[in-house]
Amino acid sequence: MDGTKLWYQSTTIQGGIINLLVFVDLMLDLKIGGETINSLIVGVFGVIGLAMVAYGRIKAKTVIK
């Protein structure tokens, strides 16, 4: 391996995409599965996405192509 990886293999990018989807859900007020369930899903995925971004930056060792 040449010390690089494709952009979609990055934990940081994956976490950022999750956060982008959470943002889109909030902006469009989709309320998938009802208001209470949607709030829970958005909250949980928001935290997961942020954790992935932080963890991805800490463990990053390779260059993204």
Side-chain angles (χ1 to χ4, degrees):
M1 182 143 188
D2 62 359
T4 64
K5 61 182 168 185
L6 298 174
W7 66 271
Y8 57 83
Q9 295 172 315
S10 166
T11 302
T12 303
I13 299 296
Q14 293 167 0
I17 290 170
I18 290 172
N19 279 327
L20 178 63
L21 293 173
V22 167
F23 178 74
V24 168
D25 176 73
L26 291 171
M27 289 299 295
L28 299 178
D29 201 26
L30 297 176
K31 292 189 178 28
I32 298 168
E35 191 168 334
T36 304
I37 296 297
N38 187 67
S39 296
L40 179 63
I41 291 169
V42 166
V44 168
F45 276 96
V47 169
I48 289 170
L50 286 173
M52 286 178 69
V53 168
Y55 177 72
R57 283 295 79 212
I58 291 168
K59 76 171 187 94
K61 303 273 189 275
T62 58
V63 176
I64 297 174
K65 288 188 198 180

